[in-house]
Amino acid sequence: MTPDQLAGLIGALPVPWGSWAREAVYGSPVALRVASGRPPREVAEEIAVRLRRRDGIDDVRVRPDGFLLIAVSRPGEVAGEIVRKGPPEIRERAALAPDFPRTWDNPGFVVRYAHARAAAVQRWARDLGVPEEGFRPEPLDDPHDRAVLRLLAELPTRAASRDPAWEAYAGQLALAYHDAHEHAPAVPVGDQPVNDVHTARLWLATAVRTVLAALFAVPLPDRL
């Protein structure tokens, strides 16, 4: 379940909630907006009943103030949607800091390097026989994968915001992807056979590369 899919069910874009390390949760105040004089919690409970019947939703919790917390079962669908449809329209692209110095304190380097690493994954995947077809979102359940997915899930609400803070967001996404690249390999290591997780992480790399490229007016490097 993606933010756009949830928006179609509840009438407003939800926002990622918490870290997603153990559970992928979206939050929404939609019941407070549509209560029309009714107790927001009562309205939220009615929405929750409908949502709990939907495939892809693990749980829906209602806070005392009527705020909804929606746990989804396949957060990796966020990456799949970006690869298939592209990111939301970016109305005003971000400025990119200079490439040098090439240190982790320089967001210009961090973003360029993340884009180059994602591009490298695509090259390595072709060389090692990791198939692009057959993407399944379920294997993207490592905490490092989930950290990237949580940031990708912010895209719709940021794109709709008056102040999306794209420069800061790109740096956060790049750093999360560096962690995933190093701790949750996208291609087989050693004698490890190719399996579904490698295809899923190839799609994750493609999603990150697509989003980073969309955020900036200048081209990002495929090699660094």
Side-chain angles (χ1 to χ4, degrees):
M1 191 70 68
T2 68
D4 286 340
Q5 290 170 336
L6 284 173
L9 297 176
I10 65 177
L13 282 168
V15 295
W17 198 259
S19 71
W20 283 27
R22 295 180 178 272
E23 185 181 43
V25 177
Y26 291 94
S28 175
V30 67
L32 285 71
R33 299 176 190 167
V34 302
S36 299
R38 297 174 61 198
R41 184 169 185 175
E42 179 182 303
V43 176
E45 291 287 1
E46 292 174 359
I47 297 171
V49 168
R50 295 201 309 268
L51 292 178
R52 291 182 186 120
R53 300 174 185 148
R54 294 282 180 167
D55 178 52
I57 294 178
D58 277 345
D59 187 26
V60 184
R61 300 185 288 275
V62 179
R63 296 197 320 198
D65 62 357
F67 193 86
L68 287 161
L69 294 172
I70 306 162
V72 299
S73 54
R74 297 185 293 272
E77 290 178 347
V78 172
E81 185 172 80
I82 291 171
V83 173
R84 294 186 183 104
K85 299 181 179 180
E89 180 184 358
I90 308 301
R91 294 191 300 270
E92 186 173 344
R93 295 191 175 191
L96 183 60
D99 188 7
F100 291 91
R102 288 186 168 177
T103 67
W104 293 110
D105 295 327
N106 176 14
F109 165 69
V110 170
V111 167
R112 288 178 175 88
Y113 190 25
H115 186 273
R117 277 183 148 178
V121 163
Q122 293 177 302
R123 295 193 299 271
W124 299 338
R126 287 193 295 269
D127 293 343
L128 294 171
V130 176
E132 292 184 21
E133 300 300 321
F135 169 77
R136 294 174 54 251
E138 291 86 354
L140 292 174
D141 61 356
D142 183 278
H144 297 94
D145 297 324
R146 284 174 173 256
V148 178
L149 291 168
R150 193 222 178 275
L151 284 161
L152 292 176
E154 291 183 18
L155 274 170
T157 48
R158 281 185 179 268
S161 169
R162 293 181 180 178
D163 183 17
W166 288 129
E167 293 90 343
Y169 170 77
Q172 294 167 9
L173 177 61
L175 286 172
Y177 183 67
H178 286 304
D179 285 343
H181 183 85
E182 293 174 8
H183 299 290
V187 294
V189 177
D191 295 332
Q192 183 184 24
V194 173
N195 58 47
D196 287 351
V197 74
H198 300 117
T199 295
R201 288 176 178 162
L202 169 59
W203 279 57
L204 185 65
T206 303
V208 169
R209 183 185 180 189
T210 300
V211 169
L212 290 178
L215 293 180
F216 298 97
V218 297
L220 299 180
D222 289 346
R223 299 174 186 267
L224 202 63

